[in-house]
Structures are given as structure tokens and as C-alpha cells.
Amino acid sequence: MDHPDRLRRLRDPTTLIAPDWYLAVHPAWAFGEIPAAAVMVVLVRRWVRADQREQARLDRAADRAEATGEADDRARYNAFLAAAKHADSDGPTDR
């Protein structure tokens, strides 16, 4: 047998390694997916809980600001944006 023929047989997907590969790849893939799915569930739960805590914190801050008559963070940010828009609408400045 010559050298190119041997290389062609080794590159052929139906060589002797193919049945072993098929036997090994499916369990390996399945065992890899189960922990990945579990990690994703944990991460999504943590993300949702953190978002709920952040929203509750923002709601409390808004309620506290409304009760004291002060502006909350969102109102201050909106005022900043309105001032920036007003400054931009005045026209270009000399640079």
C-alpha cells in the first residue's frame, strides 16, 4: 500500500475510530449539557432576584423622595437631560 492511499483511509470518517467516537461523544455531550443547564438556571434565578431587589430599592427611593418633596435620582437625571437638550438647542458654541 502506498503512502497517499493510507492517508486517504485515515481521513475517511468511516475508519475504525468512527464507531468509538459515536459511542463516546453522545454521553460526553449529555453529561456536559446537564451541568450547563443547571448553571444557567441558577444564573437566571440570581439575575431575576437581583433585578427585583434593585427595583424595590428604586421604588423605596422614589417613595421617600415623593414623601419629602425632593427629587429622586430619575427626576434629577431627567432634569439633567432637559438642561443638556436646552443647551444644545441654543446653537453651536465657539470652539
Side-chain angles (χ1 to χ4, degrees), residues 56-78:
R57 185 187 69 80
L58 290 174
D59 288 344
R60 285 192 309 270
D63 291 343
R64 189 170 40 250
E66 184 179 343
T68 61
E70 297 176 3
D72 63 339
D73 290 340
R74 182 174 287 154
R76 283 193 295 268
Y77 183 65
N78 286 338

Side-chain angles (χ1 to χ4, degrees), residues 9-90:
R9 280 191 37 213
L10 286 175
R11 290 183 189 143
D12 186 16
T14 60
T15 57
L16 294 177
I17 198 169
D20 292 337
W21 184 82
Y22 282 114
L23 286 176
V25 74
H26 295 296
W29 177 76
F31 285 122
E33 287 294 315
I34 292 169
V39 167
M40 287 301 296
V41 167
V42 169
L43 288 176
V44 167
R45 279 186 169 174
R46 290 177 124 189
W47 178 37
V48 167
R49 287 180 183 158
D51 190 47
Q52 289 171 342
R53 284 192 306 267
E54 176 72 11
Q55 189 59 47
R57 185 187 69 80
L58 290 174
D59 288 344
R60 285 192 309 270
D63 291 343
R64 189 170 40 250
E66 184 179 343
T68 61
E70 297 176 3
D72 63 339
D73 290 340
R74 182 174 287 154
R76 283 193 295 268
Y77 183 65
N78 286 338
F80 166 76
L81 291 177
K85 181 180 178 184
H86 179 69
D88 284 344
S89 66
D90 287 344

